[in-house]
Each structure stands twice: as structure tokens, then as C-alpha cells.
Amino acid sequence: METTICALFTIFLSTVICCMIVLCHLVGLETEAVSSYRFPTNGTKVGYFIAANLLNSEDIFPQFSHEIVQLATMLGRTSHTFISIYENGSRDKTKKFLQLLSKMLTEKNIAYKIVCDSASFSNDIDSIKRLALVRDKALAPLFFLHSYNQLHKQTKIIFLNDIYLDSLEIYRLVKTRAENYDWVCGLDFYRGFYDRFVSRDIRGRIFSRWYPYIREEETKRLLIQQVPLPVRSCWNGAAVFSAQPVIQHNLTFSGSLNNQNDSRCGNPRSECHMLALSFRKYNYTRIWINPKILISYDSTHLKLQKLIHQHFRPFFGFFNDILMHWFQKPWLDDDDACPQLPMLCC
């Protein structure tokens, strides 16, 4: 009798599980991470590792797919490329677009790994730590390639946010200073300069939202002249940095967050800022912004900023200098424990 009951219960439980799986597929949900990949053949050395995190990003497709393939093709003329994309929790058509992208990459013979994950994070984890975790997921194949000796000594990591991707702009960013840098960014915009959570000038001060963005005279002059300028840290929608310190010192976004001694505030402002500080900790201090590279998150803001920078940049710089001089508090010094954003720029 007990054996019969156990058998019936097992059948019932199996039926319930099967029904749940079928239901998940019917409503378009996924029960686990789904990966598609094509790794380089043996003996291939990857010179450019392109990484991206996407979430509810259907608005940037199909532009993103076309441009990332184009970017890999342009870079692939001199060295092999690898594309790593980690997506999790999207409720729009992002997963479907990524499935199409994986087919495009396979047809173009481009090595890649795309992960579409349904994993969710505990509410106990704050947003910065969650971002660090998902960025680490996109970075993970780099360590796999290293374990199989498939990285160049000079491999560059090209890490993209969910930007309106322009392959030529990112290609030019990669080629800044003939690739003689440890880390380089452009300038990103959304209703003014955007990524002020990460960007610090050479003295460690926060950028302004408005042109010319920085107050330190020497680097401001370089920015006005449209030549690369040294900074303490940056990200700005897309960052290109050396893989060597990442591999050599096992650097991750999450690991950099845990190094609270690098933070000047009680809580880190950004996982990207903390990774840049980890670079500096190991003496990889050649961090630059190329002001010619303009990045945004939709075509409208990108076109607007290109128009402003081309025709109205000097006027805005003069106007901002007057306002900063007469109406705004002085920019904070390096020894401030936790710099606040300037009043005019908030």
C-alpha cells in the first residue's frame, strides 16, 4: 500500500513539474540561463574583447547588432575579436534580438558568447553591487580565454553600456593615442554630460554637467583643443582598458567594490569608478578621455551633442565660466572626504 502511494505521489509530482515547465515556455519565461557561443579555434589569440550588459534594451536594436558586428569586423582586420554579452531579466524583445545577433556572429565567423539569463537578485543587494555582479558575468569569458592561452599580451577590453552604438566612434576610441593607454573613454551625454558618477578630473574632482566639464586649467585647455586629456577615472558609456591588469591581478568589478580603502566616500559611487581605482592601485595610471568621441543612449541626444560641439561649444564654455565664477561654490579640493556635486550642475 505504501509503495503504491509513493508511486502515485511521484507520478503526480512529475506531472506538476512538467506542467510548470510547459507553462513557462508558453508565457515566454525561461527557467535557466540560455547560452549561445562560438569560441576561437585552438591557437587563435584574441586581441579585442568586446563586453556588454543589456537589460530591456530593444530600443537600441537592430542598430546595436549591426554596429557591434561592424566594430568586430573593423578590429578584426588587425587582430581577432571576441564578443561577450550578458543579459538578464529583460521583459521586452531583447532576448529575441540577441538570438538573431548570435546567428549573425556565427555567419560572420566571429567568436562570441551570449548569455540570456532569467536570474534575479535579492533585494538585500544594493544596485551598485548588482551592477558589479552582472558586469563580472560579461567579463567572465576573458578569464576562460586566458586559461587556454588565447589572449594577446596587449589585449584590450571594450566594455559597452546600452548605448546607441556607433562602430566608427568606438573604433576611433580604441585607436586613441595609437592604443598607448591603460584606460580610455569618450564623453557621454543625456541632457548634458551624463556619467558624473565615475568621471574625475586629474585632481579627483567631479565633472560638471555643462561644457567645458572640468575646472582644472591644464586639462581644460586640452579638452578645448579636442585632444586626449589625462583623468583620474572615467567610464562614460564605453570604456576601453587593458586586459593585462585584469588578468594579472584577477580584477573584477565586485572585487574592486570590496576594496573600501579605495573609496573616498562611505559607499562607492560606482563599480566602474572602483575598478578604475584598482587600476591606479597597481600603477596602471594612463587613464585618458578622448573628447572627440561623443556617445549617447539614443540617436536624438547623439545628434544634438554633435551639433552643439561642432557649432556652439565656445559659447557654452564662456557662458558656463561666467556662471561658475559668480554664482557657484568653489569646486572641492582633493582632501574632501566625499566630494559633493557642484550646485549649478545638479
Side-chain angles (χ1 to χ4, degrees), residues 87-345:
E87 177 279 334
N88 70 299
S90 293
R91 297 181 179 275
D92 60 5
K93 297 179 181 178
T94 301
K95 295 180 191 293
K96 292 183 179 180
F97 280 116
L98 289 176
Q99 290 173 359
L100 295 174
L101 175 58
S102 67
K103 294 179 181 179
M104 291 174 61
L105 295 173
T106 300
E107 292 171 359
K108 296 288 185 179
N109 205 29
I110 297 171
Y112 72 95
K113 182 177 182 181
I114 296 177
V115 177
C116 294
D117 200 348
S118 59
S120 59
F121 295 95
S122 169
N123 292 331
D124 296 333
I125 303 177
D126 65 40
S127 59
I128 299 299
K129 291 182 179 178
R130 285 199 296 270
L131 285 170
L133 289 171
V134 297
R135 290 194 189 279
D136 285 342
K137 294 279 190 179
L139 201 59
L142 181 80
F143 296 94
F144 179 85
L145 292 171
H146 172 66
S147 68
Y148 280 85
N149 195 30
Q150 289 188 293
L151 295 179
H152 280 299
K153 290 183 178 180
Q154 304 300 324
T155 296
K156 290 289 193 296
I157 300 169
I158 305 164
F159 214 120
L160 307 173
N161 284 4
D162 52 346
I163 59 175
Y164 184 80
L165 185 56
D166 183 328
S167 57
L168 185 56
E169 287 288 274
I170 301 301
Y171 180 82
R172 289 170 176 165
L173 178 63
V174 172
K175 297 302 179 180
T176 299
R177 293 175 53 85
E179 300 194 36
N180 184 25
Y181 53 79
D182 298 317
W183 186 302
V184 69
C185 315
L187 294 170
D188 70 330
F189 298 92
Y190 186 80
R191 299 173 183 172
F193 177 69
Y194 185 69
D195 201 355
R196 300 164 68 230
F197 288 99
V198 184
S199 293
R200 302 289 189 274
D201 71 12
I202 196 63
R203 294 182 60 188
R205 297 181 296 189
I206 294 173
F207 277 41
S208 165
R209 182 172 294 173
W210 313 114
Y211 184 87
Y213 317 121
I214 51 180
R215 298 291 290 172
E216 200 277 322
E217 289 298 328
E218 183 176 350
T219 50
K220 182 171 72 172
R221 177 178 55 82
L222 295 174
L223 186 144
I224 292 172
Q225 293 174 353
Q226 292 286 278
V227 297
L229 54 137
V231 293
R232 185 73 61 87
S233 63
C234 64
W235 189 264
N236 305 349
V240 185
F241 47 95
S242 172
Q244 185 175 0
V246 175
I247 294 298
Q248 184 177 352
H249 301 288
N250 196 30
L251 297 182
T252 62
F253 291 91
S254 299
S256 296
L257 278 182
N258 293 331
N259 189 358
Q260 294 293 328
N261 292 329
D262 284 343
S263 177
R264 295 167 62 188
C265 304
N267 293 307
R269 288 175 177 266
S270 165
E271 74 288 352
C272 303
H273 177 57
M274 299 305 291
L275 183 65
L277 292 184
S278 293
F279 265 56
R280 302 192 74 88
K281 175 182 177 180
Y282 293 107
N283 205 33
Y284 290 87
T285 58
R286 299 177 302 164
I287 301 177
W288 301 80
I289 282 180
N290 185 341
K292 289 184 178 180
I293 307 302
L294 306 182
I295 294 169
S296 191
Y297 301 86
D298 58 60
S299 60
T300 301
H301 280 89
L302 184 59
K303 291 176 182 177
L304 177 62
Q305 287 303 323
K306 287 185 176 182
L307 179 67
I308 290 173
H309 275 246
Q310 184 176 358
H311 299 290
F312 302 107
R313 189 174 64 244
F315 169 76
F316 278 103
F318 175 74
F319 181 68
N320 188 62
D321 277 346
I322 292 176
L323 291 179
M324 293 283 283
H325 178 75
W326 289 104
F327 300 110
Q328 189 167 312
K329 293 180 180 179
W331 285 54
L332 299 177
D333 295 327
D334 284 343
D335 56 357
D336 285 294
C338 186
Q340 301 296 314
L341 300 180
M343 292 174 58
L344 183 65
C345 307

